[in-house]
Amino acid sequence: VLSGCGVYDGTEIHEASAILVHLSRGGAEVQMYAPDVPQMHVIDHSKGQPAEAESRNVLVESARIARGKIASLAKLTTADHDAVIFPGGFGAAKNLSTFAVDGKDCKVNREVERVLKDFHKAGKPIGLCCISPVLAAKVLSGAEVTVGHEEEEGGKWPYAGTAGAIKELGGKHCVKEVTISFPVNFHVERQFSTHVDTKNKVVTTPAFMCEAELHNIFDGIGAMVKNVLKLTGK
């Protein structure tokens, strides 16, 4: 489920690409969706500032990442899918919810809330990375998620305050790394870089919540995807 195109006002493109690569490697068939709604605003990514005179549509922008193969989120049903995954990017907090503005008092897009509740009720896994775990914390009471660390640690974790917001939303936050830098087997790496809420079948990983090397973020997302696929039982 995408939220636009570009980290500051939509989907984090590197995260979406990493998810797609790992899903492809895992043999999964993928369908992409996005809500057919206006973006909260448009950011000029070269300046990091709002482009006041512009307006864009979340579905239309998400189609850039999907290479045009995308459908309205209203068409997503649990019956047709084994799992659902949400990349991060500020679009999750601006277009899929109002978290960027309202914090713990945020509202979640109606279709996003429906999808999360439907997959949860059906016992089908939900994967989220970066900032998107706030969606599960808001919608699924008591869900266990991670956005990484709970302290900024000199700027390494610039969005560490999100962990406190997750607790205020009613979720449980679990401290995790993006990945670990020394050679280990995948089982150990998976424990460090993802959190698996086995009760709710929610799998999360910090990704760009940390100022980390791209390959570490890619590997952490890979661990999340593998856990999601494992939980499908396929």
Side-chain angles (χ1 to χ4, degrees), residues 29-31 33 75-83 119 124 234:
E29 295 182 22
V30 177
Q31 171 65 54
Y33 297 88
K75 297 181 179 179
L76 173 54
T77 65
T78 56
D80 295 331
H81 299 83
D82 298 308
F119 273 80
K124 294 185 175 182
K234 297 293 180 78

Side-chain angles (χ1 to χ4, degrees), residues 92-94 96-109 113 131-139 165-166 168-169:
K94 293 178 176 180
L96 304 188
S97 72
T98 64
F99 181 78
V101 176
D102 300 324
K104 67 180 179 62
D105 298 317
C106 69
K107 295 180 180 179
V108 175
N109 172 277
E113 182 173 0
I131 190 70
S132 68
V134 300
L135 302 172
K138 175 68 176 181
V139 173
I166 282 171
E168 291 181 314
L169 287 168

